[in-house]
Amino acid sequence: MSQNLSSRQVSKAYIEFLNQAMSAEDLENNAFHGWETTYFRTSHMYVMLRHAGDPPKTPKNEASSEITAEEAVNLIADVGPQLGRIRTLSIRLLVSGNVEQGSPIRWVLETIIAKCHGGMMFCWRRGKYMKKRRQREKEDMKKRKQGKKENEENYENKDMLSELADGVLLHILSLLDTKQVVQTCVLSKRWEHLWKRISTLMLYASSFSTPKQFAMFVSKILTLRDTSIPLQALDIDRHGNIESQLLEKVLDYVWSNNTHVKELEISVCGDSSLILSCVSSCRALTSLKLDIYPRRNIGGNFGTIFPKYLNLPALTSLDLTNFAFWGDKNGCVDPFSAFTKLNSLVLYGCKIEDAQILKISSETLVDLAMHHNSSNFSQIELSTPSLCTFTITGIPNQKICGSGLSSVKQVNIDAKMHSNFEESPMVLLSWLLDLANVKSLIVSSITLQILSLVPDILEVELHSLCNLKSMEIKLEPLQTQLGLPRVVNAMLKKVAAKSSKEATKLQKAFKAGLEPPPIPDGIVDFLRQNSPLAEVNILTIYSNCFNLKEVKESIKGARIINYHSQFAASASSSSTTPASAAAPASVAAPLNLQSLSH
């Protein structure tokens, strides 16, 4: 019969089938209507049925696009998950007796039933397959999550450090205290003897409860260490008197490795002659730090005499504490000229004997630092054409001269107060006058206080600091240096030299609680007179001692950096609190001290 039906007849028969389906008593709830709407909107059949009564529109020079009856029925039967419902509906319509024998709709219904049966079997099998597939995917996902969790746990618990090469591990261990290095032997079998192969020993008595424990530990380290590995660096720090036997054992060990030792640091109270004799044998030394004090005795401490015979051709860094340098017949001492490769020199608490001039001669010296050295000599002469950084801490007593100052690019001055205030400010000013090419100046606020004591300092015309790019002021309270009374007395004497009336007025203000400002008025602009665009940074760890906002406002272009967070609260409250109440006594000055000094 299908050969006698056109696709349009099939379409019309299908529409009649739908109409009968919609009028069926058991489908009054329009259960099939939802399927009908979905089906018509999602299949090509919707277009075909909508235009079932229209003549086919065939473009010119093209074949007809009308489909066969079998293809039309296939489209009707291809309804996916609705196969069971449409098959059941078709059977019910055939059984009802309302469909005539031989009519197109009967053929359509019989064909749909046959088509849907095969489709239902396919969908059933496919559904079962998809169910198993989803179950497998769910199990696979669960396994992947569990495996990922196990991998993360294994990664966290994995000893990746032990997988590093021995050379890398030994380099890491060389940066640690030797006591901590030895403690790594309990980590695993690989670490059990690794510590014996380190080439650097850091032996600090502060890591032990008693001197006896420290001595036993050092002895065992020197005994058990692998001697096939040459010692390259030793740092021993023993506060107080070191046992002679232990010191000799350490020095003998260094002596046995004297051709390999490149870095040596010794800080002890012991026999300096033994130590210096051992040091002189280490010709490969590139870095030497000595902090040697004689064994404590009633006779006191006169410093360790620096030997003139010390010859270390490879030395680039030298750090000396508590040494004495003996002068020659000309009243001059030049102890470092033999070190032809010296790059860094630090002198702390050193003295000059039988000489008034300390000469530092070095063609290669770049960094020079002098801290709290003796004031028993009068002059420092620098013959250092490569000098770039110069740091000096202590009482300004010695005049600094020489060609070395012209090459300095960075200066760090932390001056301290002295009872003889009249000489120190002038010496400090002389330092600044010779710094012609400095680009970075770091000073403490105490240094500026001392400098401000120079008579008529703000009227002095500087011919230096012309290339200044930045200035850093380390703000600290006068009380930390026990310098407040000295500064006050110096200011009173300075003002009294001009006007006794103004001095009396200033003295009353001091008694009423007035304190000098943290940074003297006008002193920063004085230093910047040849470089007005130089940056000014104020750094302090005593933020709770100052009103930093007022300090910043007192200096044009200054900024506060690296201070504690306590200031944030005080700064925010200062907007609502009167300045006189918010500011501490050290900055709440009702008088202009600079005007009193002129």
Side-chain angles (χ1 to χ4, degrees):
M1 180 180 177
S2 63
Q3 298 176 354
N4 301 324
L5 294 174
S6 67
S7 61
R8 296 181 182 281
Q9 290 174 320
V10 173
S11 300
K12 291 180 179 180
Y14 185 65
I15 292 174
E16 184 180 351
F17 157 66
L18 291 176
N19 291 334
Q20 293 185 28
M22 294 300 296
S23 61
E25 291 183 359
D26 58 343
L27 295 175
E28 289 181 354
N29 57 357
N30 293 332
F32 186 68
H33 182 66
W35 166 82
E36 173 201 7
T37 303
T38 304
Y39 178 76
F40 273 90
R41 290 180 180 177
T42 57
S43 71
H44 175 70
M45 197 62 191
Y46 170 73
V47 179
M48 191 181 72
L49 294 179
R50 183 176 181 182
H51 300 285
D54 300 334
K57 298 179 181 179
T58 305
K60 295 181 179 180
N61 302 327
E62 289 187 13
S64 175
S65 62
E66 186 174 357
I67 63 176
T68 64
E70 286 84 356
E71 291 173 339
V73 172
N74 289 338
L75 286 173
I76 296 171
D78 187 16
V79 292
Q82 303 295 339
L83 288 174
R85 181 179 297 178
I86 193 171
R87 181 175 179 274
T88 302
L89 180 60
S90 300
I91 293 173
R92 287 185 181 182
L93 290 175
L94 287 175
V95 174
S96 66
N98 296 327
V99 181
E100 297 180 2
Q101 291 289 341
S103 62
I105 189 164
R106 189 175 185 87
W107 176 83
V108 170
L109 293 176
E110 289 175 351
T111 306
I112 289 175
I113 292 171
K115 295 284 184 180
C116 289
H117 178 73
M120 286 179 64
M121 294 301 295
F122 170 77
C123 291
W124 179 78
R125 292 190 186 98
R126 180 174 176 81
K128 190 174 182 181
Y129 166 77
M130 293 300 294
K131 183 178 180 181
K132 290 182 178 179
R133 181 178 175 180
R134 286 192 294 270
Q135 187 175 359
R136 285 197 303 268
E137 290 178 350
K138 188 176 181 180
E139 291 176 354
D140 291 343
M141 179 64 71
K142 186 177 180 180
K143 289 180 180 179
R144 283 197 297 269
K145 289 183 178 180
Q146 185 176 0
K148 184 179 180 180
K149 185 177 180 180
E150 290 177 355
N151 290 337
E152 290 177 352
E153 292 177 354
N154 293 335
Y155 180 81
E156 293 176 356
N157 297 328
K158 191 176 181 180
D159 184 9
M160 300 186 66
L161 186 62
S162 296
E163 294 183 358
L164 297 174
D166 285 355
V168 178
L169 293 178
L170 290 172
H171 176 73
I172 295 174
L173 293 178
S174 68
L175 305 176
L176 302 177
D177 183 341
T178 304
K179 181 180 180 181
Q180 296 174 334
V181 174
V182 174
Q183 290 172 343
T184 62
C185 67
V186 300
L187 296 178
S188 65
K189 289 185 177 180
R190 186 188 176 190
W191 293 82
E192 186 175 357
H193 301 289
L194 190 63
W195 66 270
K196 297 179 181 179
R197 299 167 54 196
I198 58 174
S199 59
T200 300
L201 295 180
M202 298 183 184
L203 308 172
Y204 303 136
S206 58
S207 301
F208 297 86
S209 302
T210 63
K212 185 177 180 180
Q213 291 180 354
F214 173 68
M216 292 177 61
F217 177 79
V218 172
S219 298
K220 289 183 178 180
I221 288 294
L222 300 181
T223 302
L224 299 177
R225 184 180 174 275
D226 188 350
T227 55
S228 64
I229 306 298
L231 181 67
Q232 295 185 353
L234 172 68
D235 182 2
I236 181 170
D237 189 345
R238 167 70 172 91
H239 298 291
N241 294 333
I242 187 172
E243 296 80 356
S244 300
Q245 186 178 359
L246 178 62
L247 178 61
E248 291 177 2
K249 190 170 186 177
V250 172
L251 295 178
D252 288 342
Y253 198 86
V254 173
W255 207 309
S256 64
N257 291 269
N258 59 0
T259 58
H260 303 286
V261 176
K262 295 182 178 180
E263 299 178 12
L264 185 60
E265 296 186 22
I266 301 177
S267 179
V268 297
C269 293
D271 191 339
S272 59
S273 59
L274 287 176
I275 297 173
L276 294 173
S277 177
C278 176
V279 169
S280 63
S281 69
C282 300
R283 306 277 294 177
L285 275 179
T286 59
S287 177
L288 175 62
K289 182 177 181 180
L290 298 177
D291 183 0
I292 305 175
Y293 289 84
R295 295 182 64 86
R296 293 177 181 174
N297 51 55
I298 301 177
N301 174 28
F302 297 99
T304 301
I305 300 176
F306 190 77
K308 296 181 180 180
Y309 60 82
L310 198 60
N311 183 18
L312 303 173
L315 193 67
T316 60
S317 177
L318 179 61
D319 189 327
L320 301 175
T321 299
N322 192 48
F323 272 81
F325 305 98
W326 288 84
D328 55 18
K329 297 179 180 180
N330 299 323
C332 179
V333 57
D334 188 3
F336 311 112
S337 57
F339 306 124
T340 56
K341 295 184 179 181
L342 193 62
N343 180 268
S344 174
L345 175 63
V346 178
L347 301 177
Y348 190 100
C350 295
K351 303 176 181 180
I352 303 297
E353 301 292 344
D354 290 342
Q356 288 298 312
I357 300 175
L358 171 61
K359 186 175 182 180
I360 300 177
S361 302
S362 175
E363 296 289 332
T364 58
L365 188 63
V366 175
D367 299 325
L368 173 61
M370 305 182 70
H371 304 289
H372 304 285
N373 293 297
S374 174
S375 58
N376 63 343
F377 62 103
S378 60
Q379 184 173 312
I380 300 173
E381 182 178 340
L382 300 179
S383 180
T384 51
S386 302
L387 188 62
C388 181
T389 303
F390 182 35
T391 301
I392 186 164
T393 304
I395 301 171
N397 283 323
Q398 296 87 9
K399 293 181 180 181
I400 302 176
C401 61
S403 60
L405 288 176
S406 60
S407 63
V408 176
K409 299 296 186 293
Q410 178 177 322
V411 175
N412 187 343
I413 303 175
D414 185 8
K416 305 303 179 185
M417 296 298 298
H418 189 266
S419 57
N420 185 9
F421 71 92
E422 295 178 355
E423 183 178 354
S424 294
M426 297 303 298
V427 172
L428 181 58
L429 178 61
S430 69
W431 295 353
L432 297 173
L433 291 174
D434 291 332
L435 299 172
N437 299 313
V438 171
K439 293 183 178 181
S440 175
L441 177 62
I442 303 173
V443 293
S444 65
S445 58
I446 305 296
T447 302
L448 297 181
Q449 293 284 359
I450 297 173
L451 183 63
S452 68
L453 299 179
V454 175
D456 300 323
I457 180 63
L458 301 184
E459 299 177 6
V460 175
E461 183 177 355
L462 280 178
H463 297 286
S464 58
L465 303 179
C466 298
N467 299 321
L468 190 64
K469 302 296 182 182
S470 67
M471 181 189 305
E472 181 178 298
I473 302 174
K474 296 181 178 179
L475 196 61
E476 54 188 25
L478 283 170
Q479 290 84 348
T480 60
Q481 303 296 335
L482 300 177
L484 180 59
R486 294 175 180 175
V487 171
V488 170
N489 292 334
M491 292 179 67
L492 290 175
K493 290 183 179 181
K494 179 181 176 181
V495 174
K498 292 188 173 183
S499 172
S500 58
K501 184 177 180 180
E502 293 293 340
T504 302
K505 183 178 179 180
L506 181 60
Q507 186 176 17
K508 290 181 179 180
F510 282 137
K511 289 183 178 180
L514 173 69
E515 293 184 4
I519 300 176
D521 298 332
I523 198 68
V524 174
D525 291 334
F526 163 74
L527 294 173
R528 290 194 301 177
Q529 61 181 274
N530 294 324
S531 303
L533 298 180
E535 293 182 356
V536 178
N537 298 321
I538 300 175
L539 183 146
T540 184
I541 60 174
Y542 305 99
S543 56
N544 57 337
C545 297
F546 304 99
N547 187 325
L548 296 181
K549 183 177 181 180
E550 289 191 4
V551 173
K552 179 180 178 181
E553 292 175 350
S554 66
I555 302 174
K556 183 179 180 181
R559 62 172 181 164
I560 307 292
I561 59 174
N562 217 16
Y563 53 87
H564 292 172
S565 58
Q566 293 93 317
F567 175 65
S570 61
S572 60
S573 62
S574 62
S575 60
T576 57
T577 306
S580 59
S586 59
V587 294
L591 298 176
N592 187 335
L593 299 182
Q594 201 61 46
S595 64
L596 293 176
S597 61
H598 290 303

